[in-house]
Amino acid sequence: MKILENIALAPLTTLGIGGRARWFVEAASEAEIAEACAWARERGVPLFVLGGGSNVLVADKGFDGLALHVALQGVELEGDLLCAAAGCLWDDCVLRATEAGLAGVECLAGIPGTVGGTPVQNVGAYGQEVASAIESVRAFDRVAQEFVAFANAECGFAYRRSRFNTTDRGRYVVTRVDYRLLRGGEPTLVYADLKAHFSEWKKTPSLAEVAEAVRGIRQSKGMLLVEGDADCRSAGSFFKNPSVAPDVAERVRRIAAESGVAVRMFPAEGGLVKIPAAWLIEQAGFKKGYTLGAAGISSRHTLALVNRGRATAEEILALAGKIRAAVEQRFGIRLVMEPEMVGF
Ligand code: NAP
């Protein structure tokens, strides 16, 4: 294990923003993960686990601790069980699964980032979430200093949540995830964008065709990492889609009716109502392509804040603050930021 010093983090994130890590280590094995955690613990140094860097905003002053880059590789397919090391690219796993005729993750194609991040925020899109496929998660427990395995039911999965980003935030470093898929299963086709894509098809599309369609839809929204695409310099969705109490949803409906605009709402867990954050932002006056200094809103998706050149973390946060204030003023809803904030 080699501990490096003063390593720039910006190139390791999709936003391309932020200062340096005081210390940095790339761990390519479980032994190195344990070693890196011990190194930080013995020195009382804070630890930040970096995967694909697709959901983080690093402070301009950097991170005064050890950035642990999880680089474990290796994917195995045993029957309908896909076992992937935490550092593998998630989209490669989706490709592998769909090509093998295994259903369960086809709608999660094109999501940037690595396997290790998928159980943490229970990654989901277009009507699927990894919680439905995950069989077990292996991780290093930084408190007990040992490797542990969690069965699905022990992961505390809920909408975009798990024990790893709530009650046990920061405690575990995920090293491997096993996904139980369905051989010969039908693709999930429930979201309007996807249904519209296949509306003229006479037959049910294959898993690989659905995954490819999802990549295409994501690309049209600037949500697929493509070299040279300025709208990709983002951390994906910057705000969570809020789930609100029915009376709040009713107020939003009223405001929409008064303005003569339609609003889509969806039932959410616990009797709540899910409202697309992008709609709230647009109705609060922020359109695609909006710019504030070197920060801006993607020209293809209102939910993605982008780095238009040499944006700083402060500029991104200033824009986020402006958007949140406007949404709160118009609808009384406080948007929650989705990326992990590092070094603030
Ligand atoms: P979208 O498809 O325009 O959807 C906007 C909002 O409407 C989301 O809250 C979505 O719920 C909801 N929605 C749309 N159709 C729905 C349906 N048939 N049933 C229930 N809810 C429905 O969103 P987008 O921003 O372009 O993103 C596309 C997909 O990628 C979404 O599913 C989004 O959640 C997902 N995504 C996930 C992450 C993540 O895991 N961190 C990050 C970025 C985007 P859901 O959010 O529950 O789907």
Side-chain angles (χ1 to χ4, degrees), residues 175-194:
T175 59
R176 179 183 131 160
V177 185
D178 292 354
Y179 306 87
R180 177 73 63 185
L181 303 165
L182 188 61
R183 187 163 296 283
E186 295 284 304
T188 298
L189 275 181
V190 289
Y191 268 39
D193 276 355
L194 258 184

Side-chain angles (χ1 to χ4, degrees), residues 207-280:
L207 295 165
E209 284 162 344
V210 169
E212 215 29 57
V214 169
R215 288 190 192 92
I217 295 167
R218 294 189 71 96
Q219 185 166 4
S220 72
K221 295 182 176 186
M223 290 289 198
L224 188 76
L225 288 181
V226 176
E227 194 73 35
D229 183 343
D231 279 330
C232 291
R233 297 185 70 185
S234 79
S237 303
F238 202 86
F239 301 101
K240 295 185 178 172
N241 290 303
S243 291
V244 301
D247 62 316
V248 177
E250 201 37 58
R251 187 172 67 226
V252 173
R253 253 189 221 106
R254 218 174 33 243
I255 297 171
E258 282 163 11
S259 318
V261 287
V263 54
R264 290 182 307 156
M265 295 192 185
F266 305 92
E269 285 166 2
L272 300 177
V273 181
K274 193 167 51 176
I275 307 178
W279 183 89
L280 294 168

Side-chain angles (χ1 to χ4, degrees), residues 9 48 56-63 340-344:
L9 290 174
F48 149 58
V56 288
L57 177 63
V58 178
D60 299 316
K61 65 179 183 336
F63 175 62
E340 188 184 345
M341 302 288 156
V342 179
F344 289 94

